[in-house]
Amino acid sequence: MKYHITTYGCQMNKSDSERIAAVLEKNGFKPAKSEKQADLVVVNACSVRQSAVDRIYGKVRAFAKLKIKNAKLKIILTGCVLGEDREKLKNQFDYILNIDDWKKISNFKFQIPNKSKIQNSKIQNTRYEMPDTNYFHIKPRYTEKFRAYVPIMTGCNNFCSYCAVPYVRGREASRDVGDVLAEVKKLAKNGCLEIILLGQNVNAYQPADVENFSKKNLYKHPFAALLWEINQIPSLERVHFTAPHPADMSDEVIDALTLPKMVNYLHLPVQAGDDEVLKRMNRNYTARDFLNLVEKIRKKKPDIVLGTDIIVGFPGETKKQFENTLKLYKKVGFDIAYLAMYSPRAGTAAAKFVDDVPRQEKKRRWNILQDLMKKITLKKNKKYVGKVVSVLVDEYKDGKCFGNSLEMKRVRFSGKKGMVGKIFEVKIKKAFEWILDGRISTQKKFFCKLQKNFFC
Ligand code: SF4
């Protein structure tokens, strides 16, 4: 029996898919290269944005064709799917599961079970308060050996007015420190170089077992303390996290950004640069608060690269208010922004607002921000020319190696397949908007010899 998982959404969903794969393999399934070759297809979906929901509906049509060719094919929908979407989709899938249901599946021999065995009871528009974090105990089938996503918490208590996460993931629930550290230490022992800590509101991490933090730990804030602990693990090279809420960036968390293994990049979602809009979004900070926070962060770590998320065309956003977002963008000088045009999600507070910015106007604002981002990013990238950056290679294609620098810049250079999963010092020769072209620096060649690494 073969399975195939299609994953939509954020890194948290990707990480969940690694656990789903582990459950299926434990129960005798083998990975299939494509949905066409599978007996079981899992769609780990996200209905946090309308575009993501549209993709699920697009899939449904493709599955109908697949089922004509393979009548035995079973299809499961799982992940962050809102109750309303579940209700609409329930007849299109054989099973609809919550993420924490997968832990239960790991406890018995997984055959395509009777619908009664895995109940669809949660198909109703249920908002469960506290997710069952036991599914974190499933040992994932990591996609990469050299880099791993490690979820440390799930859910969110912030209730930003546009966001479906608190409804699909429930309230914040954190993994135990002991549990997280055991996973990270094991990963490091097996050669993992980079850890990405995940959580919908990652810096609101509140574990129950704080006694497991070492006595020598510099910090009291649990998230800062966790970063400190992970920074002590000898063979790890890089640590980062996503996504923090600006209001939870305490002084200690900011200080922890300077720990030696932290990457030189912070993703800090701002969403808008206008106080009125931020208030309607229920973000709990003003544009000034955000700018002050950026100043504080840059004081601690002057060359840190900042990324963000922005929604354009939020209900009631005037042209003037959008211009305030542009102003904030320029003041901060983000290196990258993930831009979204607002679309209402059922059940959220903003869904009750009048979605009064026409689609064409949303697109216009999106284009303006996109152009601004490209301009700023290119200018910033040009400053890397002549500099040496440290690159963890994660891809090889046609004689070229690709990887991220500590600043999360995509870097390309000539290399060999065997370089994937290793870190190289690369001198940047040319800068583009989304990629930096470079050459392995002589300095690193010497280092590589010392490491008996003959690929450089
Ligand atoms: Fe959603 Fe993030 Fe706001 Fe939580 S903090 S409600 S995950 S946007």
Side-chain angles (χ1 to χ4, degrees):
M1 298 282 270
K2 289 192 167 178
Y3 75 93
H4 187 273
I5 304 175
T6 301
T7 309
Y8 297 127
C10 63
Q11 281 110 327
M12 193 75 172
N13 270 21
K14 285 180 196 155
S15 164
D16 289 343
S17 285
E18 294 183 339
R19 284 179 161 77
I20 294 167
V23 170
L24 294 173
E25 290 186 19
K26 197 173 160 204
N27 287 282
F29 283 82
K30 300 258 178 296
K33 283 198 176 119
S34 72
E35 288 165 350
K36 282 185 195 153
Q37 293 163 13
D39 306 286
L40 174 69
V41 170
V42 179
V43 182
N44 187 6
C46 163
S47 65
V48 168
R49 293 222 168 106
Q50 187 57 43
S51 55
V53 178
D54 295 343
R55 288 161 94 185
I56 309 176
Y57 284 98
K59 270 280 167 205
V60 165
R61 287 187 285 278
F63 289 148
K65 284 186 196 159
L66 275 185
K67 282 218 168 197
I68 294 170
K69 286 188 190 151
N70 178 4
K72 286 186 183 158
L73 175 71
K74 297 289 176 194
I75 304 170
I76 296 177
L77 176 66
T78 191
C80 296
V81 184
L82 274 166
E84 193 193 83
D85 294 318
R86 285 169 167 238
E87 195 55 42
K88 284 187 203 154
L89 288 160
K90 69 178 178 189
N91 295 326
Q92 323 293 329
F93 288 85
D94 296 292
Y95 305 97
I96 298 187
L97 303 181
N98 284 321
I99 279 299
D100 46 17
D101 288 333
W102 288 91
K103 175 67 187 167
K104 295 167 211 156
I105 293 170
S106 68
N107 291 336
F108 64 86
K109 185 77 189 156
F110 186 89
Q111 295 153 350
I112 307 299
N114 296 328
K115 281 205 175 187
S116 57
K117 279 213 169 169
I118 299 174
Q119 253 303 339
N120 278 353
S121 57
K122 289 175 184 171
I123 278 179
Q124 307 310 323
N125 199 357
T126 332
R127 204 190 98 213
Y128 47 98
E129 291 293 306
M130 284 290 282
D132 175 3
T133 56
N134 269 341
Y135 86 95
F136 285 138
H137 294 147
I138 302 167
K139 189 185 173 306
R141 177 187 175 274
Y142 299 107
T143 315
E144 295 165 326
K145 197 173 175 234
F146 54 89
R147 176 170 60 189
Y149 293 113
V150 177
I152 63 165
M153 57 87 68
T154 181
C156 187
N157 297 350
N158 283 326
F159 289 92
C160 299
S161 63
Y162 53 84
C163 181
V165 164
Y167 305 96
V168 290
R169 286 270 178 178
R171 298 291 176 94
E172 287 162 9
S174 295
R175 271 176 95 176
D176 285 348
V177 178
D179 193 19
V180 174
L181 290 181
E183 184 177 346
V184 177
K185 281 177 187 165
K186 201 161 182 189
L187 279 161
K189 202 172 152 205
N190 292 330
C192 184
L193 298 175
E194 181 175 291
I195 293 291
I196 304 130
L197 302 176
L198 298 178
Q200 268 87 24
N201 191 12
V202 73
N203 50 344
Y205 178 63
Q206 285 290 347
D209 61 333
V210 284
E211 69 281 0
N212 278 331
F213 285 127
S214 128
K215 297 272 174 293
K216 290 187 225 152
N217 200 311
L218 297 182
Y219 305 115
K220 293 272 171 285
H221 187 289
F223 183 61
L226 182 70
L227 293 176
W228 187 89
E229 296 289 345
I230 293 176
N231 267 263
Q232 311 312 307
I233 300 173
S235 58
L236 268 187
E237 292 279 343
R238 296 172 164 202
V239 182
H240 54 126
F241 56 85
T242 191
H245 191 288
D248 288 312
M249 287 299 291
S250 69
D251 288 352
E252 286 202 337
V253 174
I254 295 172
D255 195 72
L257 297 175
T258 64
L259 289 168
K261 295 183 180 181
M262 300 309 294
V263 296
N264 198 19
Y265 172 81
L266 176 67
H267 188 80
L268 197 60
V270 65
Q271 307 297 4
D274 179 82
D275 290 350
E276 224 357 89
V277 177
L278 285 168
K279 200 169 169 193
R280 285 203 302 279
M281 286 179 163
N282 195 29
R283 289 294 289 173
N284 286 321
Y285 52 81
T286 62
R288 177 40 53 205
D289 293 337
F290 190 88
L291 290 169
N292 289 345
L293 176 62
V294 167
E295 202 182 314
K296 228 178 192 183
I297 292 167
R298 286 199 166 131
K299 221 172 188 174
K300 273 276 167 205
K301 198 158 174 161
D303 55 351
I304 195 163
V305 166
L306 295 175
T308 197
D309 297 325
I310 293 178
I311 299 171
V312 297
F314 190 72
E317 186 192 63
T318 61
K319 286 185 181 170
K320 178 93 192 56
Q321 288 170 338
F322 170 67
E323 275 162 24
N324 286 338
T325 298
L326 290 176
K327 275 186 206 154
L328 180 134
Y329 195 100
K330 285 180 201 159
K331 273 187 194 155
V332 176
F334 293 107
D335 272 59
I336 189 152
Y338 297 89
L339 309 176
M341 286 183 276
Y342 173 77
S343 63
R345 302 307 306 125
T348 60
K352 296 188 189 102
F353 303 163
V354 184
D355 185 14
D356 55 356
V357 182
R359 197 182 148 77
Q360 224 180 349
E361 178 60 14
K362 284 178 187 165
K363 184 80 185 124
R364 190 188 72 84
R365 292 178 194 180
W366 189 94
N367 284 336
I368 292 173
L369 252 178
Q370 180 76 6
D371 288 348
L372 177 66
M373 167 169 63
K374 280 177 165 174
K375 227 166 99 187
I376 293 178
T377 305
L378 182 61
K379 198 171 158 199
K380 288 188 170 242
N381 283 358
K382 282 183 175 165
K383 292 191 180 153
Y384 287 89
V385 175
K387 289 192 179 153
V388 174
V389 294
S390 179
V391 180
L392 172 57
V393 179
D394 56 30
E395 191 187 349
Y396 169 82
K397 209 176 160 198
D398 303 330
K400 296 280 180 195
C401 285
F402 299 80
N404 292 337
S405 73
L406 284 168
E407 298 75 20
M408 294 298 120
K409 296 282 176 191
R410 201 73 187 145
V411 179
R412 173 173 60 191
F413 59 97
S414 295
K416 294 180 183 168
K417 201 173 178 185
M419 292 161 90
V420 172
K422 296 184 173 74
I423 295 176
F424 295 90
E425 302 291 295
V426 178
K427 188 164 187 176
I428 303 304
K429 299 283 172 193
K430 221 169 175 185
F432 303 92
E433 280 146 358
W434 310 124
I435 202 143
L436 303 175
D437 271 335
R439 212 171 54 203
I440 292 182
S441 82
T442 47
Q443 189 190 347
K444 184 66 188 182
K445 272 186 186 167
F446 174 66
F447 178 69
C448 289
K449 272 183 195 157
L450 286 179
Q451 297 274 307
K452 297 205 186 329
N453 182 338
F454 300 110
F455 291 113
C456 15

